[in-house]
Amino acid sequence: MSIQAVELIKAYRLLNIGATTLISAKHDGVENVMAAAWVGALDYQPPKVTAVIDKIAYTRPLIEKSGCFAIQIPVAAQAELVLAMGESRHDHPDKLANVPLFYPPGFDIPLVQGCAAWLVCRLINEPHNQQAHDLFIGEVVAAWADERIFKHGHWQFDNAPDEWRTLHYVAGGQFYAIGKGFNLKQGSNVDD
């Protein structure tokens, strides 16, 4: 067998291959966008998500005060933007200067243009989880996806250009783009 031990300090990297995200929030006229790798689905009905947001993150108090946040799924063409959004706004106050933002109808929250998907979430306030584990839970109240790569409720990456593939961040500036899919259910209905 080809099994090797992994240092516990790096064990998170074994799971950290889900889609890299951008999280945005706004409160009292102040906007921010941050990169986040520890974001995932939690429930179906109503749809809920989780996000780990450190206490030092500039975005965190915007979420806590506004009660909402947005998750975006960036694509390979946005890799440099994702790295830039990983920098703290505490240290880089002008980091949003060249970020193309838009506001979806009915929501006062900035979204990043050019992403594969966007989810607007209402914060489910769980003070213990937020303080002890930096874990935020959100109920998805609206969602959109780029129809060029998401149709009939499914991702369509096999025919997408490389720059439209989702990003998967490991560490140290290393990304992977989602690979080629395969289907074990020949003739399955794409509306499943």
Side-chain angles (χ1 to χ4, degrees):
M1 282 203 281
S2 300
I3 298 175
Q4 65 172 324
V6 175
E7 296 175 65
L8 293 182
I9 191 74
K10 295 183 180 172
Y12 75 91
R13 292 182 183 175
L14 299 174
L15 298 171
N16 206 37
I17 55 173
T20 297
T21 68
L22 295 171
I23 296 178
S24 58
K26 178 181 176 183
H27 177 71
D28 203 20
V30 178
E31 305 167 318
N32 199 43
V33 177
M34 64 176 278
W38 296 2
V39 175
L42 177 64
D43 204 350
Y44 295 104
Q45 282 295 2
K48 294 183 188 93
V49 294
T50 61
V52 175
I53 303 170
D54 195 277
K55 290 169 186 63
I56 64 169
Y58 190 94
T59 306
R60 184 171 169 149
L62 301 178
I63 294 170
E64 292 171 329
K65 292 175 183 174
S66 70
C68 66
F69 60 99
I71 298 170
Q72 287 105 145
I73 310 297
V75 295
Q78 296 173 304
E80 288 184 23
L81 171 69
V82 171
L83 279 181
M85 294 303 99
E87 300 291 331
S88 174
R89 190 160 173 201
H90 293 295
D91 300 326
H92 303 277
D94 296 329
K95 80 175 200 175
L96 295 182
N98 295 312
V99 178
L101 300 175
F102 72 99
Y103 281 78
F107 296 94
D108 188 30
I109 191 161
L111 302 181
V112 178
Q113 292 180 20
C115 290
W118 305 264
L119 299 92
V120 173
C121 305
R122 177 187 60 78
L123 177 64
I124 298 173
N125 198 24
E126 293 282 348
H128 172 74
N129 287 340
Q130 290 162 208
Q131 288 304 311
H133 308 293
D134 297 328
L135 180 67
F136 285 71
I137 299 172
E139 179 182 339
V140 179
V141 295
W144 304 269
D146 189 302
E147 64 187 355
R148 293 173 287 185
I149 54 175
F150 190 86
K151 294 179 185 172
H152 309 293
H154 295 273
W155 290 109
Q156 307 290 316
F157 291 118
D158 287 338
N159 298 317
D162 288 344
E163 64 269 13
W164 274 100
R165 295 182 179 275
T166 54
L167 290 170
H168 306 266
Y169 187 71
V170 180
Q174 175 70 40
F175 288 95
Y176 288 96
I178 196 165
K180 184 167 177 50
F182 58 93
N183 188 337
L184 296 179
K185 291 182 177 181
Q186 297 303 319
S188 68
N189 184 347
V190 295
D191 289 331
D192 290 344

